[in-house]
Coordinates of all heavy atoms in Angstrom, one line a residue:
Chain B
T13 N 83.1 113.4 88.7 CA 83.9 113.8 87.5 C 83.4 113.1 86.3 O 82.6 112.2 86.3 CB 85.4 113.5 87.8 OG1 86.2 114.1 86.7 CG2 85.6 111.9 87.7
E14 N 83.8 113.7 85.2 CA 83.4 113.1 83.9 C 84.5 112.1 83.4 O 85.7 112.3 83.7 CB 83.2 114.2 82.9 CG 82.1 115.1 83.2 CD 81.9 116.2 82.1 OE1 82.9 116.4 81.3 OE2 80.9 116.9 82.1
K15 N 84.0 111.1 82.8 CA 84.9 110.1 82.2 C 86.0 110.8 81.4 O 85.8 111.7 80.6 CB 84.1 109.1 81.3 CG 84.9 108.1 80.6 CD 84.0 107.2 79.7 CE 84.8 106.2 78.9 NZ 84.0 105.4 78.0
G16 N 87.3 110.3 81.6 CA 88.4 110.9 80.9 C 89.1 111.9 81.6 O 90.3 112.3 81.3
K17 N 88.5 112.5 82.7 CA 89.2 113.6 83.4 C 90.2 112.9 84.5 O 90.0 111.8 84.9 CB 88.2 114.4 84.2 CG 87.2 115.1 83.3 CD 87.8 116.3 82.6 CE 86.7 117.1 81.9 NZ 87.3 118.3 81.2
D18 N 91.1 113.7 84.9 CA 92.0 113.3 86.0 C 91.5 113.8 87.3 O 90.9 114.9 87.4 CB 93.4 113.9 85.8 CG 94.1 113.4 84.5 OD1 93.6 112.5 83.8 OD2 95.2 114.0 84.2
V19 N 91.7 113.0 88.4 CA 91.3 113.4 89.7 C 92.5 113.2 90.7 O 93.3 112.3 90.5 CB 90.1 112.7 90.2 CG1 88.9 113.0 89.4 CG2 90.3 111.2 90.3
E20 N 92.5 114.0 91.8 CA 93.4 113.8 92.8 C 92.7 113.7 94.1 O 91.8 114.5 94.4 CB 94.4 115.0 92.9 CG 95.4 115.1 91.8 CD 96.5 116.2 92.0 OE1 96.3 117.0 92.9 OE2 97.4 116.2 91.3
L21 N 93.1 112.7 94.9 CA 92.5 112.5 96.2 C 93.6 112.6 97.3 O 94.7 112.1 97.1 CB 91.9 111.1 96.3 CG 91.0 110.6 95.1 CD1 90.5 109.2 95.3 CD2 89.8 111.6 94.9
R22 N 93.2 113.3 98.4 CA 94.2 113.6 99.3 C 94.0 112.9 100.7 O 92.8 112.7 101.1 CB 94.2 115.1 99.6 CG 95.2 115.6 100.7 CD 95.0 117.1 100.9 NE 95.7 117.6 102.1 CZ 96.7 118.3 102.1 NH1 97.3 118.7 101.0 NH2 97.3 118.7 103.2
C23 N 95.1 112.5 101.3 CA 95.0 111.9 102.6 C 96.0 112.6 103.6 O 97.2 112.7 103.2 CB 95.3 110.4 102.5 SG 95.5 109.6 104.1
D24 N 95.5 113.0 104.7 CA 96.3 113.5 105.8 C 96.3 112.5 106.9 O 95.3 112.3 107.6 CB 95.8 114.8 106.3 CG 96.1 116.0 105.4 OD1 95.3 116.2 104.5 OD2 97.1 116.6 105.6
P25 N 97.4 111.8 107.1 CA 97.5 110.8 108.2 C 97.6 111.4 109.6 O 97.7 112.6 109.7 CB 98.7 110.0 107.8 CG 99.6 111.0 107.2 CD 98.7 111.9 106.4
I26 N 97.5 110.5 110.5 CA 97.7 111.0 111.9 C 99.1 111.4 112.0 O 100.1 110.7 111.6 CB 97.3 109.8 112.9 CG1 95.8 109.6 112.8 CG2 97.8 110.2 114.3 CD1 95.4 108.4 113.6
S27 N 99.3 112.5 112.7 CA 100.7 113.0 112.9 C 101.6 112.0 113.5 O 101.3 111.4 114.5 CB 100.6 114.3 113.7 OG 101.9 114.8 113.9
G28 N 102.8 111.8 112.9 CA 103.8 110.9 113.4 C 103.7 109.5 112.9 O 104.5 108.7 113.1
H29 N 102.6 109.2 112.2 CA 102.4 107.8 111.6 C 103.3 107.7 110.4 O 103.1 108.5 109.4 CB 100.9 107.6 111.3 CG 100.1 107.2 112.5 ND1 98.8 106.7 112.3 CD2 100.4 107.1 113.8 CE1 98.4 106.3 113.5 NE2 99.3 106.6 114.4
T30 N 104.1 106.7 110.4 CA 105.0 106.5 109.2 C 104.5 105.7 108.1 O 104.9 105.8 107.0 CB 106.4 105.9 109.7 OG1 106.1 104.6 110.3 CG2 107.0 106.8 110.7
A31 N 103.5 104.8 108.5 CA 102.9 103.9 107.5 C 101.6 104.5 107.0 O 100.8 105.0 107.8 CB 102.7 102.5 108.0
L32 N 101.4 104.4 105.7 CA 100.1 104.9 105.1 C 99.7 104.0 104.0 O 100.5 103.4 103.2 CB 100.4 106.3 104.5 CG 99.1 107.1 104.0 CD1 99.3 108.6 104.2 CD2 98.9 106.8 102.5
Y33 N 98.4 103.7 104.0 CA 97.8 102.7 103.1 C 96.6 103.4 102.3 O 95.9 104.2 102.9 CB 97.2 101.5 103.8 CG 98.2 100.9 104.8 CD1 98.5 101.4 106.0 CD2 98.9 99.7 104.4 CE1 99.4 100.8 106.9 CE2 99.7 99.0 105.3 CZ 100.0 99.6 106.5 OH 100.9 99.0 107.4
W34 N 96.5 103.0 101.1 CA 95.3 103.3 100.3 C 94.5 102.0 100.0 O 95.1 101.0 99.6 CB 95.6 104.0 99.0 CG 96.0 105.5 99.1 CD1 97.2 106.0 99.2 CD2 95.1 106.6 99.2 NE1 97.2 107.4 99.3 CE2 95.9 107.8 99.3 CE3 93.7 106.7 99.1 CZ2 95.3 109.0 99.3 CZ3 93.2 108.0 99.2 CH2 94.0 109.1 99.3
Y35 N 93.2 102.1 100.2 CA 92.3 101.0 99.9 C 91.2 101.5 99.0 O 90.9 102.7 99.1 CB 91.7 100.3 101.1 CG 92.7 99.7 102.0 CD1 93.3 100.4 103.1 CD2 93.0 98.3 101.9 CE1 94.2 99.8 103.9 CE2 93.9 97.7 102.8 CZ 94.5 98.4 103.8 OH 95.4 97.8 104.6
R36 N 90.5 100.6 98.3 CA 89.3 101.0 97.5 C 88.2 100.1 97.9 O 88.3 98.9 98.0 CB 89.7 100.9 96.0 CG 88.5 101.3 95.1 CD 89.0 101.4 93.7 NE 89.3 100.1 93.1 CZ 89.5 99.9 91.8 NH1 89.5 101.0 90.9 NH2 89.8 98.7 91.3
Q37 N 87.0 100.7 98.0 CA 85.8 100.0 98.4 C 84.8 100.2 97.3 O 84.3 101.3 97.1 CB 85.3 100.4 99.7 CG 84.1 99.6 100.2 CD 83.7 100.0 101.6 OE1 84.0 101.1 102.1 NE2 83.0 99.1 102.3
S38 N 84.5 99.1 96.6 CA 83.5 99.2 95.5 C 82.5 98.1 95.5 O 82.8 97.1 96.2 CB 84.2 99.3 94.1 OG 85.0 98.1 93.9
L39 N 81.4 98.3 94.9 CA 80.3 97.2 95.0 C 80.8 95.9 94.3 O 80.5 94.9 94.8 CB 79.1 97.7 94.3 CG 78.2 98.8 95.0 CD1 77.1 99.2 94.2 CD2 77.8 98.2 96.4
G40 N 81.5 96.0 93.3 CA 81.9 94.8 92.6 C 83.1 94.1 93.2 O 83.2 92.9 93.1
Q41 N 84.0 94.8 93.8 CA 85.3 94.3 94.2 C 85.4 94.3 95.7 O 86.4 93.7 96.3 CB 86.4 95.1 93.6 CG 86.5 95.1 92.1 CD 86.6 93.7 91.5 OE1 87.3 92.8 92.0 NE2 85.9 93.4 90.4
G42 N 84.5 94.8 96.5 CA 84.7 94.9 97.9 C 85.8 95.8 98.3 O 86.1 96.8 97.6
L43 N 86.4 95.5 99.4 CA 87.5 96.3 100.0 C 88.8 95.8 99.5 O 89.2 94.6 99.8 CB 87.5 96.3 101.5 CG 86.9 97.5 102.2 CD1 86.6 97.1 103.6 CD2 87.8 98.7 102.1
E44 N 89.6 96.5 98.8 CA 90.9 96.0 98.2 C 92.0 97.0 98.5 O 91.9 98.2 98.3 CB 90.7 95.7 96.7 CG 90.2 96.8 95.9 CD 90.0 96.5 94.4 OE1 90.5 95.4 94.0 OE2 89.4 97.3 93.7
F45 N 93.2 96.4 98.7 CA 94.4 97.2 99.0 C 94.9 97.7 97.6 O 94.9 97.1 96.6 CB 95.5 96.2 99.6 CG 96.9 96.7 99.5 CD1 97.3 97.6 100.5 CD2 97.7 96.3 98.5 CE1 98.6 98.1 100.5 CE2 99.0 96.8 98.5 CZ 99.5 97.7 99.5
L46 N 95.4 99.0 97.7 CA 96.0 99.6 96.5 C 97.5 99.8 96.7 O 98.2 99.3 95.8 CB 95.3 101.0 96.3 CG 93.8 101.0 96.0 CD1 93.3 102.4 95.8 CD2 93.5 100.2 94.7
I47 N 97.9 100.5 97.7 CA 99.3 100.8 97.8 C 99.7 101.1 99.3 O 98.8 101.5 100.0 CB 99.7 102.1 96.9 CG1 101.2 102.3 96.9 CG2 98.9 103.3 97.4 CD1 101.5 103.4 95.8
Y48 N 100.9 100.9 99.6 CA 101.4 101.1 101.0 C 102.7 102.0 100.9 O 103.6 101.8 100.1 CB 101.8 99.7 101.6 CG 102.9 99.7 102.6 CD1 102.6 100.3 103.9 CD2 104.1 99.1 102.4 CE1 103.6 100.3 104.8 CE2 105.1 99.1 103.4 CZ 104.8 99.7 104.6 OH 105.8 99.7 105.6
F49 N 102.7 102.9 101.8 CA 103.9 103.8 101.9 C 104.5 103.6 103.3 O 103.8 103.5 104.3 CB 103.5 105.3 101.9 CG 103.2 105.8 100.5 CD1 101.9 105.7 100.0 CD2 104.1 106.3 99.7 CE1 101.5 106.2 98.7 CE2 103.8 106.7 98.4 CZ 102.5 106.7 97.9
Q50 N 105.8 103.6 103.3 CA 106.6 103.7 104.6 C 107.5 104.9 104.4 O 108.4 104.9 103.6 CB 107.4 102.4 104.8 CG 108.4 102.5 106.0 CD 107.6 102.8 107.3 OE1 106.5 102.4 107.5 NE2 108.3 103.4 108.2
G51 N 107.2 105.9 105.2 CA 107.8 107.2 104.9 C 107.3 107.7 103.5 O 106.1 107.7 103.2
N52 N 108.2 108.2 102.7 CA 107.9 108.6 101.4 C 108.0 107.6 100.3 O 107.7 107.8 99.1 CB 108.7 109.8 101.0 CG 108.5 111.1 101.8 OD1 107.4 111.2 102.4 ND2 109.5 111.9 102.0
S53 N 108.4 106.4 100.7 CA 108.7 105.3 99.7 C 107.4 104.4 99.7 O 106.8 104.2 100.7 CB 109.9 104.5 100.1 OG 111.0 105.3 100.2
A54 N 107.2 103.8 98.5 CA 106.1 102.9 98.3 C 106.6 101.5 98.0 O 106.7 101.2 96.8 CB 105.2 103.4 97.2
P55 N 107.0 100.7 99.0 CA 107.5 99.4 98.7 C 106.5 98.4 98.2 O 106.9 97.3 97.7 CB 108.1 98.9 100.1 CG 107.3 99.7 101.1 CD 107.0 101.0 100.4
D56 N 105.2 98.7 98.3 CA 104.2 97.8 97.8 C 103.2 98.5 97.0 O 102.3 99.2 97.6 CB 103.6 97.0 98.9 CG 102.7 95.8 98.5 OD1 102.3 95.8 97.3 OD2 102.4 95.0 99.3
K57 N 103.2 98.4 95.7 CA 102.2 99.1 94.8 C 101.4 98.0 94.2 O 100.7 98.3 93.2 CB 102.9 99.9 93.8 CG 103.9 100.9 94.3 CD 104.5 101.6 93.1 CE 105.6 102.6 93.5 NZ 106.3 103.3 92.4
S58 N 101.4 96.8 94.7 CA 100.8 95.7 94.0 C 99.3 95.8 93.7 O 98.8 95.1 92.9 CB 101.1 94.4 94.7 OG 100.5 94.4 96.0
G59 N 98.6 96.6 94.5 CA 97.2 96.7 94.3 C 96.7 97.7 93.3 O 95.5 97.8 93.0
L60 N 97.6 98.5 92.8 CA 97.1 99.6 91.9 C 96.6 98.8 90.6 O 97.3 98.0 90.0 CB 98.3 100.5 91.5 CG 98.8 101.4 92.6 CD1 100.0 102.2 92.1 CD2 97.7 102.3 93.2
P61 N 95.4 99.1 90.2 CA 94.7 98.3 89.2 C 95.3 98.6 87.8 O 95.1 97.7 86.9 CB 93.3 98.7 89.3 CG 93.2 100.0 90.0 CD 94.4 100.1 90.8
S62 N 95.8 99.7 87.5 CA 96.4 100.0 86.2 C 97.4 101.2 86.3 O 97.5 101.8 87.3 CB 95.2 100.4 85.2 OG 94.8 101.7 85.5
D63 N 98.0 101.4 85.2 CA 99.0 102.5 85.2 C 98.3 103.9 85.2 O 99.0 104.9 85.2 CB 100.0 102.4 84.0 CG 99.3 102.4 82.7 OD1 98.1 102.6 82.6 OD2 100.0 102.1 81.7
R64 N 97.0 103.9 85.1 CA 96.3 105.2 85.3 C 96.3 105.7 86.7 O 96.1 106.8 87.0 CB 94.9 105.1 84.8 CG 94.7 104.8 83.3 CD 93.3 104.8 82.9 NE 92.5 103.8 83.5 CZ 91.6 104.1 84.5 NH1 91.4 105.3 85.0 NH2 90.9 103.1 85.0
F65 N 96.6 104.8 87.6 CA 96.7 105.1 89.1 C 98.1 105.3 89.5 O 99.0 104.5 89.2 CB 96.1 103.9 89.9 CG 94.6 103.7 89.8 CD1 94.0 103.2 88.6 CD2 93.8 104.0 90.8 CE1 92.6 103.1 88.5 CE2 92.4 103.9 90.7 CZ 91.8 103.4 89.6
S66 N 98.3 106.3 90.3 CA 99.6 106.6 90.9 C 99.4 107.3 92.2 O 98.3 107.8 92.5 CB 100.4 107.5 90.0 OG 99.8 108.7 89.8
A67 N 100.4 107.3 93.1 CA 100.3 107.9 94.4 C 101.6 108.4 94.8 O 102.7 107.8 94.4 CB 99.7 106.9 95.4
E68 N 101.6 109.4 95.6 CA 102.9 109.9 96.1 C 102.6 110.3 97.6 O 101.5 110.6 98.0 CB 103.5 111.0 95.3 CG 102.7 112.3 95.3 CD 103.4 113.4 94.5 OE1 104.4 113.2 93.9 OE2 102.9 114.6 94.6
R69 N 103.7 110.4 98.3 CA 103.7 110.9 99.6 C 104.9 111.8 99.8 O 106.0 111.5 99.5 CB 103.7 109.8 100.6 CG 103.5 110.2 102.1 CD 103.5 109.0 103.0 NE 103.1 109.4 104.4 CZ 103.3 108.7 105.4 NH1 103.8 107.5 105.3 NH2 102.9 109.1 106.6
T70 N 104.6 113.0 100.4 CA 105.7 114.0 100.6 C 105.8 114.3 102.1 O 104.9 114.4 102.8 CB 105.4 115.3 99.8 OG1 104.1 115.7 100.2 CG2 105.3 115.0 98.3

Side-chain angles (χ1 to χ4, degrees):
Chain B
T13 190
E14 294 179 347
K15 177 181 174 180
K17 300 285 190 182
D18 297 352
V19 296
E20 287 189 349
L21 312 180
R22 176 186 169 109
C23 172
D24 283 87
I26 293 172
S27 178
H29 278 191
T30 59
L32 186 146
Y33 307 79
W34 283 98
Y35 296 89
R36 180 168 72 171
Q37 185 173 24
S38 59
L39 284 176
Q41 301 298 322
L43 261 164
E44 53 184 347
F45 165 80
L46 296 178
I47 187 171
Y48 153 68
F49 285 93
Q50 174 59 26
N52 293 334
S53 300
D56 190 344
K57 307 178 183 179
S58 61
L60 294 179
S62 76
D63 58 8
R64 297 186 296 105
F65 287 72
S66 63
E68 66 174 11
R69 189 179 185 194
T70 56

